[in-house]
Every structure is written in structure tokens, then in C-alpha cells.
Amino acid sequence: MNYRPLFFVLFILAFSACKTKNHLHKIEGKQINVSDSIAADQRIEAFIKPYRERVEKDLDSVLAYSVATLSKSDGEYNTAIGNMMADAVYEEVNPVFQKRTGKSIDFVLLNHGGIRAIISKGEITTRTAFEVMPFENSIFVAELKGDQIKELIDYLVIEKRAHPISQLKIVLNADGSLKETSSKEKPLNYTKSYFVATNDYLLSGGDRMNFFKVNDSVYDLNYKVRNVLLDYFKKTDTLRPRIDDRFIKIK
Amino acid sequence: MKRRDFIHQTSAASALIGLGGFGLSSFSSATKKITILHTNDVHSHIDPFGPEDGRNPNQGGVARRASLIESIRAENPNTLLMDAGDIFQGTPYFNYYGGELEFKLMSMLKYDVATIGNHDFDNGIDGLYAQLPHAKFDFVSSNYDFSNTIMDSHVKPYRIIEKDGIKVGVFGLGIELYGLVDENMYKETKYLDPIETTQEMTRILKQQEHCDLVICLSHLGYKYSRLPEKISDLSLAEKTKDIDLIIGGHTHTFLKKPTIIKNAEGKNTLVNQVGCYGINLGKIDFYFDANKNKSAEGTSIIV
């Protein structure tokens, strides 16, 4: 502090009449990680608290009941949780699609990786829907031509993964080759177009489902996958989805 | 006496002398420092990720960000805080409160200015408009023409903020909404060409208003390797001039450090983005020297 008067004197002496322009002479850039080593601001924390409590309470509101724990790893070619999700998409979205376009969804294809959590046996809450589907993906219906439908089936046959499907049936021979396919009880016809409901992730080629990339027409249903689940849970008192024969390999 | 105190007091002294200019060549005393803090794509992440989170355990959180910002402001009061869009959507807070809490908290953290991301239209342009009373900061967007929408006059093309005699011009750029956001959501918002808009903005901010710093808050995205012709922060930086810093968003790009790009005039432009979800805070310090003798020298960039 002793130096202070001296600097004032220096500054006054140094004062000159010439016009000064601000010259940018140095830039330093970095990023700081917001980690748990930084203490939370208590005023902010207190402000958030009532909002958080209301959300938490609502997320814990019970919508339905599951008779079993459902996991996407239980099942080889189809799973109970995947079947439930794809069926929920068909059931909830098809009426919206029909109303808007006068057409019907032929079948549903989602991705196995899109099931983000298990559903535990017991009460199903709003939180369950947020856990199973934390992302904001929404449902689209794409009109796929016959050759794309063939690509889609080839993809599923090669993948041998329980990608959730609804209103579609695939039977594999014991050697893994394709035996038969059908949609709504009718064999797939590769000269025909089909309306396939999926999510925006797959529509843009996610999981290498490239057959979705080129399509005649795409309908944005403006219906989030999570909301499909929430609406489905609200309607359903007790959830008892099963592994069935929609995608199987003959032994 | 601590060095920090020394700098504080001398800069106070220079302010007292009154911007007239002085010929002290050997002192760093005339240095002014403007700190720009920034976030992008926070996506309603108000609470930190929990310890069990698979990707970002114990990361982020608005209350922690508040402490961090407070400590930086205590060190340098000449600090500005900005956000590059996609404030909305990503946690139940948005689904329940429609963005009210996000805007209220950003106001409490004293954000100065933000731009608009595509997800900020997720409750429609009416949903965004409805939350504006909770935002005590300004929105800038120079390439969204809102004149036929409810947002008309609520978003400025640019803002000029003066700190410690340094004029900082901030303008905003948004991504093309067609094909990305449902038209029913953005309604008659018109998307204008980002490069043409930038040329106009930099002309106003640099030539007309003589800003010392020009910052672009962009939600265009960092770069698109598979779509090289698609406008991005990197291509914008290359094709324009007179921008000092582009604060980006949209692509959720985690950069180890800001990128330095040669602009259309061969001068350096900084491009930065700090990932998403409030996991990081960007901090760019600009040091100005009022010393005339040094003005011929270039600008050193330490990243």
C-alpha cells in the first residue's frame, strides 16, 4: 500500500494528450469443468428446491403396475419390454396417423438400443417413462418402397437383434436364413410400399438403418416416444407384456 | 502488496485520469481485461448429474456454476456472461415448467445476453415468448427475422455492452430451422443467410460503432464433416472478417481448447464451444493495452 501515492504521481506525469486506442494485445482462453469440487451456491440451491420437489413428486405419481421386471436383455429375437414399446407406438400413434392422413401404419420398427432402462416389477411412475426414454426422440412414419422393405428385413435377419417391432412377423430357419415375413397376417410384398412408424433417430440413419434415409414421404407425428409411453401407461392398469413369436428362429 | 491488488489499483488510477491516454510504455498498468464466460446447449440441466450417471457423473449443476461465476466476477468485475442457445429441453424441468426456471436462474446468474437455439422453439414460438418475462437478459439474433411473429421486437439483432471503456458488440446467429424444427413451432420466423448477415453485423459493430471486441453467439454448429457446404462456425470464421470470438453451440462439441481460424483477411478468429448440459464453462480473457506504442504489434493468443 505504501507504493500507492507514487503510482498516482507516475500516472499524472505520464499523462499525455495523444489519443489512445484500445489495442487487443493478448487473448487467453480456457474452459473450466463444473465438477463436484465446486461448492453449490446456497441461494440458487434454495431457489431450485421447491421446483425440484414438485417435479419429483409428480415423477413419482403411479400410472400403472408391472407384473414382472422387464429388461431388454431378456429375450433373443424379441423381448417383452421391446414388444410393449413397439405395440404402444402402434396403438397410440396409428389413430393419430389415420386421422391426419387417412392412411394406416403397416408396422413399427424401433431400435433395441433405444430402450434405456429396465422397468421394475411393481409400480410404474412417470419417472419410469423418463428412465426408459430419457431422450426427446419422436415418432415419424416413413413410406418405404418394396426394395427398402427388403433391405429392412435383410438388416434385421443379419443383425439378429431384438429391435422392437409391432405388426411385423419374421421367422428364421434353424440355419438363421429367412423363412417368412408378414405384416398384419399378410406376407410382405416387395413390389408394394409400406408405412413404417419409427423414431427420428433411425429415420436419419441411426444404427445403420440406411433404408430409412431415402423415402418417398415422411410424416412427422409430433409425438414424443416418451409421451407415447406415458399415454400408454395411463391407459393400462396392469402391464403384462410377453416374449412372443413376432421374431423367432425355428429350432 | 499483492500483484493482483497492484493491477486493480493502477487500472482504477488510469480510469481516474480519464481515457486521455498516457505514454507509459514499460508498465502493464494500462491493461484492461474483459472476461467472457459462456455456456451452450445447457438443455434444462439444472441439477448436476448424479454419481451413478453413466456418462457425466457429478458434473454440471446451475448452483455450482453460480459459485464459479461469482468467484470469477470477484476477480474481474469486467466480466460478461453469455449463452449460445438450446437453453430448453432435456430434463423434466422443461416438461413441467416450460423454461421458466431456466430463464429465472440465468437471470439470477446475471447472464448478459443469449441467442436462440432450435430447441428453444420446442414449445413453439408462443412457448418461448411466454417465458420472456422471466428473462432479465437480452436475446440477440440477427439472422432470424421475427417481424411476422409474436417475438417481433423482443429479440435484438445485436447488443453493445461497454465495460471499463471497452465496447463489446455481440450479435447472434441461429441455425436453419426448416427441416430441423416443425414449421408449426417456428411459424413465420424467417431464416436469413448467416454470412450475409454477419457482413452486415460486423460492418455496423466494427466500422460504424467502433467496437473493440466483436463476438458472435452462434447456434450454427461447430463443423459438419459430412456436409462441408453446410454453414458452420468454422466456415463462418473463414469466410468473414472482424469477428474476434465465435461462441458456438448446437453440435454439443467438447473442445480441448478454443480453435484459432484465419478469417477472410488472414486475421485470427477464435471459435469456442463447451460441449453441453452445463458441464463446462468457457472463459476467454481479452487484454487491452491503451498504450499507443504497442498498437502496431499483433495479438498473442494463449489457449
Side-chain angles (χ1 to χ4, degrees), chain A residues 177-241:
Chain A
S177 62
L178 182 64
K179 184 174 187 291
E180 58 187 48
T181 57
S182 62
S183 171
K184 297 184 179 172
E185 312 294 322
K186 284 184 202 147
L188 288 179
N189 177 352
Y190 296 145
T191 63
K192 194 180 157 262
S193 287
Y194 288 85
F195 291 103
V196 183
T198 188
N199 59 45
D200 49 351
Y201 169 73
L202 297 181
L203 191 73
S204 56
D207 280 5
R208 290 170 292 106
M209 293 203 191
N210 297 323
F211 40 83
F212 276 123
K213 272 189 172 173
V214 187
N215 34 55
D216 282 355
S217 45
V218 175
Y219 301 85
D220 179 358
L221 275 295
N222 206 3
Y223 200 161
K224 284 181 188 171
V225 179
R226 186 195 307 122
N227 290 340
V228 167
L229 291 178
L230 285 172
D231 292 341
Y232 184 78
F233 291 156
K234 280 175 196 164
K235 264 193 221 165
T236 315
D237 179 68
T238 306
L239 220 62
R240 31 179 120 247

Side-chain angles (χ1 to χ4, degrees), chain A residues 20 23 27-28 34 39 52 58, chain B residues 21 47 60 67 96 285 289-290 302:
Chain A
T20 307
H23 170 62
I27 307 171
E28 269 180 312
V34 181
R52 182 189 294 130
D58 195 82
Chain B
D47 294 325
S67 306
Y96 283 82
D285 295 315
D289 201 325
I302 305 159

Side-chain angles (χ1 to χ4, degrees), chain A residues 112-161:
Chain A
H112 186 245
I115 307 167
R116 306 303 298 181
I118 60 163
I119 293 178
S120 299
K121 180 182 173 176
E123 289 172 341
I124 291 177
T125 63
T126 304
R127 190 187 300 278
T128 313
F130 275 90
E131 286 168 351
V132 173
M133 190 57 219
F135 308 130
E136 301 305 323
N137 295 98
S138 59
I139 296 293
F140 283 73
V141 175
E143 185 175 4
L144 298 188
K145 286 184 181 147
D147 53 343
Q148 289 167 293
I149 294 294
K150 186 170 182 309
E151 265 185 70
L152 182 156
I153 297 297
D154 288 347
Y155 172 93
L156 291 174
V157 170
I158 292 165
E159 278 264 305
K160 297 194 166 38
R161 210 169 158 203

